[in-house]
Amino acid sequence: QVQLKESGGGAAQPGGSLRLSCAASVGIYVNYCVAWFRQAPGLEREGVAAIDGEDRATYADSVMGRFTISQDNAKNMLFLQMNDLKTEDSAMYYCAADLARTACNPFPRTWGFGYWGQGTQVAVSS
């Protein structure tokens, strides 16, 4: 059973930065698609960024150029560096894994991601 646990959320001001981390209980990042999602109150969960075992990354248009997804396969860690934060980035952020596919496209999508963490809260305000 794969377990995912996020950390690194918190409060930030507009224009600030945060770095989220996701620890996996087993080595999955080298072979499968893993991704970050977010969900704000009253809104649907949306895909933010995804990366596959060959480090090919895909981003939602809303975060392109501001967020960077990366992984450390040796440590079973997934990261999301978030720069130039905006108030609309406020949400619960989740990491997830699709263990049925080695590639992430198409993305954004929520289908196929069978393993999810419990989330870490990000709040951006002045």
Side-chain angles (χ1 to χ4, degrees):
Q1 182 77 9
V2 175
Q3 294 182 331
L4 302 173
K5 184 174 178 59
E6 304 91 340
S7 61
Q13 293 186 335
S17 298
L18 285 172
R19 189 190 194 210
L20 305 183
S21 299
C22 176
S25 57
V26 296
I28 60 173
Y29 299 148
V30 69
N31 290 316
Y32 302 106
C33 175
V34 288
W36 288 98
F37 293 79
R38 65 186 180 188
Q39 187 168 20
L43 299 180
E44 293 187 354
R45 189 168 297 187
E46 63 171 345
V48 174
I51 189 168
D52 66 17
E54 296 185 8
D55 282 342
R56 293 175 297 196
T58 307
Y59 298 93
D61 290 343
S62 59
V63 305
M64 186 79 70
R66 300 188 298 120
F67 290 12
T68 302
I69 188 171
S70 62
Q71 58 192 345
D72 184 334
N73 295 326
K75 297 182 180 179
N76 296 338
M77 294 291 294
L78 179 70
F79 304 102
L80 185 67
Q81 178 66 44
M82 305 187 296
N83 298 330
D84 190 21
L85 284 164
K86 303 178 180 181
T87 55
E88 52 263 41
D89 293 321
S90 297
M92 185 72 80
Y93 282 72
Y94 301 88
C95 64
D98 180 353
L99 302 189
R101 296 164 185 82
T102 56
C104 292
N105 288 329
F107 192 84
R109 59 176 168 90
T110 55
W111 55 265
F113 288 93
Y115 297 89
W116 294 80
Q118 293 188 335
T120 185
Q121 186 71 46
V122 171
V124 184
S125 66
S126 55

